[in-house]
Amino acid sequence: MDGKKPLRRPQRNQDIRAAIGGAGLRYWWVAEELGIACGTLSNRLRRELSQEEKGEVLAAVQRLADRLGARVPEIPCPGMTLEARATIPGRGWQ
């Protein structure tokens, strides 16, 4: 390497990512529930989704979690980063 640090982009849609991971789901399961390809879901998550789109994805996550008997974790603050959430007592990286 040339000594430069690689640029890190901020990760978008952290609330959706946390819901999927916290419920123990796979992204392709959620994509299938939405009726789209896994790559399409991944591409959409690269930009911040509108509230309507987020609602659709979170509803799909909830349906899958209910079907599998998993619990979708509550998001303490939608704008809070995963790193900040890890500092909340009892709300670690699970």
Side-chain angles (χ1 to χ4, degrees):
M1 299 218 24
D2 56 2
K4 293 182 182 178
K5 289 175 67 176
L7 294 176
R8 267 195 83 148
R9 295 181 193 156
Q11 195 168 26
R12 293 168 177 87
N13 300 301
Q14 290 187 354
D15 50 347
I16 292 174
R17 296 172 192 275
I20 293 171
L25 302 175
R26 304 281 186 208
Y27 283 82
W28 69 269
W29 295 349
V30 177
E32 200 170 81
E33 180 71 20
L34 290 167
I36 60 175
C38 182
T40 302
L41 177 62
S42 177
N43 289 338
R44 287 183 183 173
L45 291 178
R46 290 180 187 162
R47 64 170 175 77
E48 195 63 35
L49 297 177
S50 68
Q51 290 303 317
E52 296 82 31
E53 291 172 314
K54 280 188 179 196
E56 289 176 24
V57 176
L58 290 173
V61 169
Q62 187 64 55
R63 286 192 306 269
L64 282 169
D66 290 345
R67 223 178 293 149
L68 298 172
R71 185 181 69 82
V72 177
E74 64 181 69
I75 307 301
C77 178
M80 188 180 291
T81 65
L82 289 174
E83 290 81 8
R85 256 184 251 150
T87 63
I88 299 172
R91 296 270 187 193
W93 286 91
Q94 300 164 356

